C-alpha cells in the first residue's frame, strides 16, 4: 500500500508507505502486482509547454489523450494503469477537466473504468497558492470497464461555498459530511459533468428539452473576430483613417469600422472610432498606395516566419508566425469576412455577465469577440437572460474572478425555445427600450420574465402569469412610447407588475436567481 509520484515516462517509481486504514478505512490488502493506493497532486503544466511530448503521450494514454490537454490529465490514466483492481486513487488537480473540451475522453474513461467515490470542488477558494480551482477526486479502479448506464453507484459531491464565512478549509471534512449530496455516476456524461444537487440537475435537463441547441438553430455559424498579428499596424484611429482616405480615396474600400472585446457591452456596443485595415489574402497592396506606405514602417515586424527558420541557430524571429500570407496581410485567413457586414449578434470572449449586443453597423471585430450572423434580433434578449446565464454556468467553467469564457463548443449547447412571430415582436420592442436606456432595469426584468414563459409556460400559467398576453394588452408594439408604457406597467397596481412579483415564487426562478 503506497502513495506514489512519477514522471509519466519514469519507470523508477518512488514510494512512501503510510497507514491506509487511517486514510481510507481499508482493513485488508488488495494484493496484486500493482499499487493499492495512489495519492497525488500532479504538476499543473499547460499544454503549450508539452507540445514536443504530445506524440509520445498519445499511444500511452489512449483513453485520456487530447491535443489540448494539460499535463495533469495523463496522470489520471497512468494512476489507474498502476493500480490493482479495487485500488484507490486520491488526486488534487484543477477542476477544468470536468467540463473542458479536452477532458471529454478522460470523463468517459473515469465514468466507465472507475467507481467514483467522492468529489470536492473548491471552486474559487484559495486553498493552494499555486493551483487555481482545485478539486479532490477519490475513485477506485473497477475490475473491468462497464458501460455508462451500468455504473449504478452514487458519487458523494461537495461544491465548496467560498461565500460562507463559517466554512473554513481546515473544517472541510465536517462540512463535507453535513452538506454533501449524491450524484448518480451514470448521469456523468462525456459532454460534461454537472456536479449539482438533484433540483439543479433536473432544471438543467428541463432547459435542454425546452429548446433546440443554438448550434443547430444557427447551423453552426459561430465566428471569431480577426487576428491581425500586429494590431499596432492594422488598427487605426479615425484621424489616421481620414488621412489615408484623403491621400487615396480607394483606401476606404479596405478600412472597416472596428470593435474590440472591451467595446462590446450588454445590449450595446460602444464604438471607440477605431478602424481596421483589412488587407485580407488576395489583395494586391499596390492597389492601395497610401495603405502600403502606412504599413511599410512595420514591415520587419509583419513578415511571416520562413519554414526554414531555426530559432536555436538564428534566434527569435522578429516578425509574425509562419503562414501562407504576405507581410501586408492580416494574419488570419478570414474566409467568412463578408459575414461581418451583415446583421449579427456580437459578444466578447470573456464576460462576467451575459454581454450580447445587436449590431447592424457592419463592424469588423477583434479576435477577442465572437459573433452570430442572423436577422433574429430577439435572440439577443434570450442570450442576455438570467435563464441562459444560469444554464451556461452549468456547462462551462468560470475562470478566476468569476468570469465566463464564450467557447463555441459550449455556446452551441445553449437551448433556444420556440417563439412565434408576435412573441418575437414584443421582445424586440423591449430590446429597443433597453438599448435606449429607458427604464432599462425594469424592462430587463420583464424580458427575463418573457424568457421564463418561453421555457416554462406550464409553471407560469399555473400561477396565472401570462406576460406575453399582458404585454400585448398594454400596447407593447412597434412605435410605442416606451417611457409612458413603463410608467404604466411597472406601477404596483398594474397586472404586469403583479405577475413579475408572483414570478419570484416559482421554484425554477428561485433556483436560477439563487434564491433557493
Amino acid at each position: 500500500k503506497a502513495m506514489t509520484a512519477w514522471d509519466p515516462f519514469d519507470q523508477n517509481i518512488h514510494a512512501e508507505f503510510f497507514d491506509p486504514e487511517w486514510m481510507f478505512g481499508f482493513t485488508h490488502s488488495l494484493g496484486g502486482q500493482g499499487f493499492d493506493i495512489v495519492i497525488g497532486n500532479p504538476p499543473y503544466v499547460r499544454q503549450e509547454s508539452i507540445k514536443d511530448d504530445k506524440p509520445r503521450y498519445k499511444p500511452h494514454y489512449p483513453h485520456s489523450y487530447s491535443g489540448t490537454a494539460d499535463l495533469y490529465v495523463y496522470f489520471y490514466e497512468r494512476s489507474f494503469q498502476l493500480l490493482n483492481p479495487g485500488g484507490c486513487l486520491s488526486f488534487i488537480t484543477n477542476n477544468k477537466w470536468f467540463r473542458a473540451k479536452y477532458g471529454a475522453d478522460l470523463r468517459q474513461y473515469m465514468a466507465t473504468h472507475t467507481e467514483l467515490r467522492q468529489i470536492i470542488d473548491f471552486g474559487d477558494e484559495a486553498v493552494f497558492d499555486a493551483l487555481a480551482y482545485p478539486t479532490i477526486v477519490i475513485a477506485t479502479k473497477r475490475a473491468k470497464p462497464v458501460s455508462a448506464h451500468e455504473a449504478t453507484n452514487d458519487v458523494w459531491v461537495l461544491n465548496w461555498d467560498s461565500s460562507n464565512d463559517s466554512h473554513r478549509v481546515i473544517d472541510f471534512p465536517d462540512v463535507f459530511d453535513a452538506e454533501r449530496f449524491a450524484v448518480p455516476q451514470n448521469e456523468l456524461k462525456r459532454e460534461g459533468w454537472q456536479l449539482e444537487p438533484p433540483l439543479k440537475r433536473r432544471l438543467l435537463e428541463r432547459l435542454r428539452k425546452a429548446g433546440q441547441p443554438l448550434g443547430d438553430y444557427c447551423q453552426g455559424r459561430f465566428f471569431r473576430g480577426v487576428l491581425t498579428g500586429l494590431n499596432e499596424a492594422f488598427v487605426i484611429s479615425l484621424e489616421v483613417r481620414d488621412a489615408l482616405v484623403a491621400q487615396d480615396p480607394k483606401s476606404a474600400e479596405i478600412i472597416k469600422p472596428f470593435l474590440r472585446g472591451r467595446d462590446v457591452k450588454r445590449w450595446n456596443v460602444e464604438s471607440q472610432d477605431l478602424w481596421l485595415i483589412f488587407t485580407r489574402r488576395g489583395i494586391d497592396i499596390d492597389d492601395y498606395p497610401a495603405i502600403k506606405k502606412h504599413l511599410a514602417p512595420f514591415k520587419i515586424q509583419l513578415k511571416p516566419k520562413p519554414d526554414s527558420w531555426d530559432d536555436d541557430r538564428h534566434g527569435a524571429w522578429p516578425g509574425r508566425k509562419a503562414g501562407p500570407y504576405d507581410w501586408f496581410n492580416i494574419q488570419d485567413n478570414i474566409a467568412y469576412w463578408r459575414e461581418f457586414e451583415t446583421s449579427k449578434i456580437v459578444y466578447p470572449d470573456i464576460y462576467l455577465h451575459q454581454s450580447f449586443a445587436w449590431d447592424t453597423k457592419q463592424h469588423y471585430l477583434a479576435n477577442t469577440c465572437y459573433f452570430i450572423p442572423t436577422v433574429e434580433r430577439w435572440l439577443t434578449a434570450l442570450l442576455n437572460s438570467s435563464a441562459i446565464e444560469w444554464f451556461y454556468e452549468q456547462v462551462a467553467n468560470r475562470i478566476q474572478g468569476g468570469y465566463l469564457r464564450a467557447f463555441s463548443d459550449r455556446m452551441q449547447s445553449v437551448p433556444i425555445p420556440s417563439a412565434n412571430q408576435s412573441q418575437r415582436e414584443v421582445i424586440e420592442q423591449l430590446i429597443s427600450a433597453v438599448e435606449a436606456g429607458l427604464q432599462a432595469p425594469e424592462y430587463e426584468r420583464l424580458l427575463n420574465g418573457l424568457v421564463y414563459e418561453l421555457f416554462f409556460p406550464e409553471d407560469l400559467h399555473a400561477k396565472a402569469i401570462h406576460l406575453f398576453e399582458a404585454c400585448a394588452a398594454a400596447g407593447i408594439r412597434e412605435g410605442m412610447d416606451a417611457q409612458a408604457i413603463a410608467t404604466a406597467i411597472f406601477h404596483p397596481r398594474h397586472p404586469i407588475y403583479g405577475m413579475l412579483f408572483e414570478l419570484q415564487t416559482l421554484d425554477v426562478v428561485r433556483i436560477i436567481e439563487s434564491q433557493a
Side-chain angles (χ1 to χ4, degrees):
K1 275 56 86 180
M3 68 177 180
T4 67
W6 68 90
D7 176 273
F9 292 103
D10 186 1
Q11 301 304 312
N12 299 311
I13 299 171
H14 308 287
E16 298 179 14
F17 288 85
F18 65 100
D19 184 348
E21 182 174 352
W22 177 80
M23 289 292 292
F24 294 97
F26 290 173
T27 58
H28 64 281
S29 172
L30 297 169
Q33 299 301 310
F35 289 91
D36 294 334
I37 299 174
V38 174
I39 298 178
N41 179 6
Y44 186 66
V45 180
R46 292 182 60 83
Q47 59 97 4
E48 295 88 350
S49 300
I50 57 173
K51 59 182 180 180
D52 294 336
D53 289 325
K54 289 178 187 178
R56 298 165 58 209
Y57 291 155
K58 189 171 184 177
H60 287 279
Y61 307 110
H63 300 293
S64 58
Y65 178 82
S66 167
T68 57
D70 296 330
L71 182 62
Y72 72 89
V73 164
Y74 307 119
F75 279 77
Y76 276 98
E77 186 171 351
R78 181 59 173 150
S79 295
F80 287 102
Q81 290 173 357
L82 293 170
L83 279 169
N84 291 319
C88 183
L89 168 140
S90 178
F91 262 16
I92 298 172
T93 65
N94 184 284
N95 69 5
K96 286 174 62 178
W97 68 274
F98 292 161
R99 295 175 185 168
K101 186 175 182 180
Y102 70 67
D105 286 343
L106 177 58
R107 290 191 293 269
Q108 180 72 10
Y109 176 79
M110 294 290 286
T112 57
H113 285 67
T114 80
E115 184 171 337
L116 288 153
R117 301 296 187 89
Q118 298 177 5
I119 297 176
I120 304 166
D121 190 349
F122 285 100
D124 233 347
E125 185 70 29
V127 181
F128 305 102
D129 292 336
L131 180 63
Y133 297 93
T135 187
I136 296 174
V137 177
I138 298 175
T140 54
K141 182 177 180 177
R142 294 185 183 273
K144 62 179 181 178
V146 298
S147 63
H149 73 272
E150 292 175 319
T152 58
N153 59 293
D154 286 337
V155 187
W156 288 109
V157 176
L158 171 68
N159 291 323
W160 187 264
D161 183 4
S162 58
S163 65
N164 190 330
D165 294 334
S166 67
H167 286 183
R168 300 184 304 166
V169 173
I170 60 172
D171 298 326
F172 89 82
D174 295 328
V175 176
F176 181 82
D177 286 341
E179 299 189 10
R180 67 183 182 175
F181 54 88
V183 175
Q185 183 162 322
N186 57 22
E187 291 187 13
L188 299 180
K189 308 299 184 184
R190 186 179 188 277
E191 304 84 64
W193 288 1
Q194 273 70 57
L195 300 171
E196 298 291 349
L199 278 176
K200 288 188 176 182
R201 295 201 308 276
R202 287 198 291 270
L203 178 56
L204 186 68
E205 193 58 28
R206 283 191 68 186
L207 285 167
R208 282 198 174 103
K209 290 180 177 178
Q212 180 182 15
L214 179 59
D216 295 340
Y217 192 89
C218 70
Q219 299 179 324
R221 287 159 56 80
F222 300 92
F223 297 117
R224 192 189 70 166
V226 177
L227 176 65
T228 68
L230 189 68
N231 283 354
E232 182 184 356
F234 294 101
V235 179
I236 59 177
S237 66
L238 177 62
E239 292 75 17
V240 174
R241 182 260 181 201
D242 289 347
L244 291 172
V245 173
Q247 294 174 47
D248 175 20
K250 191 175 173 62
S251 299
E253 296 176 359
I254 58 170
I255 301 180
K256 310 294 183 178
F258 188 65
L259 295 172
R260 305 161 298 179
R262 72 188 80 169
D263 304 326
V264 179
K265 310 298 183 182
R266 184 178 172 88
W267 301 110
N268 287 302
V269 299
E270 296 180 359
S271 172
Q272 303 301 309
D273 266 340
L274 295 176
W275 297 78
L276 173 68
I277 297 174
F278 189 63
T279 45
R280 59 184 174 83
R281 298 179 199 181
I283 281 178
D284 187 345
I285 195 62
D286 291 328
D287 291 341
Y288 304 95
I291 289 176
K292 182 177 182 180
K293 182 179 178 181
H294 167 81
L295 294 176
F298 301 99
K299 189 170 184 177
I300 292 176
Q301 295 166 269
L302 292 174
K303 279 189 173 182
K305 181 179 180 178
D307 292 335
S308 60
W309 187 267
D310 186 334
D311 287 344
D312 291 335
R313 288 193 301 150
H314 302 114
W317 177 252
R320 294 182 289 174
K321 72 173 188 179
Y325 58 92
D326 289 315
W327 69 270
F328 53 83
N329 291 139
I330 58 168
Q331 187 167 299
D332 266 357
N333 183 24
I334 306 292
Y336 50 83
W337 62 272
R338 290 181 181 84
E339 304 287 3
F340 286 113
E341 301 180 3
T342 65
S343 60
K344 56 188 180 291
I345 295 173
V346 299
Y347 51 104
D349 67 340
I350 300 177
Y351 54 84
L352 189 58
H353 296 292
Q354 302 297 96
S355 298
F356 293 76
W358 180 249
D359 178 53
T360 58
K361 296 184 178 179
Q362 301 187 350
H363 283 105
Y364 281 54
L365 306 172
N367 66 312
T368 51
C369 299
Y370 292 88
F371 70 101
I372 303 169
T374 182
V375 296
E376 299 188 38
R377 185 184 179 203
W378 74 280
L379 290 173
T380 311
L382 182 76
L383 294 171
N384 276 335
S385 69
S386 297
I388 293 304
E389 180 163 331
W390 183 87
F391 177 90
Y392 198 75
E393 284 180 328
Q394 311 310 307
V395 300
N397 290 310
R398 283 197 181 268
I399 59 175
Q400 196 161 9
Y403 288 87
L404 288 166
R405 297 292 306 274
F407 292 122
S408 294
D409 65 306
R410 297 298 174 204
M411 198 64 68
Q412 67 183 1
S413 68
V414 167
I416 307 298
S418 60
N420 61 40
Q421 187 58 35
S422 63
Q423 290 172 328
R424 296 181 187 195
E425 289 172 359
V426 166
I427 290 173
E428 291 186 2
Q429 296 312 308
L430 298 180
I431 290 174
S432 295
V434 172
E435 289 175 344
L438 299 173
Q439 301 284 122
E442 291 83 2
Y443 275 128
E444 280 199 66
R445 186 178 170 208
L446 177 53
L447 281 168
N448 268 327
L450 294 173
V451 172
Y452 284 132
E453 188 168 358
L454 292 177
F455 275 117
F456 311 111
E458 298 87 358
D459 301 61
L460 273 68
H461 297 169
K463 290 272 191 174
I465 301 172
H466 297 268
L467 285 169
F468 280 106
E469 290 180 11
C471 284
I476 295 176
R477 60 179 60 91
E478 188 175 358
M480 71 178 187
D481 183 336
Q483 187 61 59
I485 291 285
T487 301
I489 67 176
F490 298 125
H491 189 279
R493 293 193 185 93
H494 196 279
I496 288 179
Y497 182 94
M499 290 179 190
L500 292 176
F501 184 84
E502 185 70 16
L503 189 70
Q504 301 304 311
T505 67
L506 296 181
D507 288 341
V508 291
V509 175
R510 294 176 68 234
I511 293 171
I512 287 172
E513 299 188 4
S514 299
Q515 298 171 16

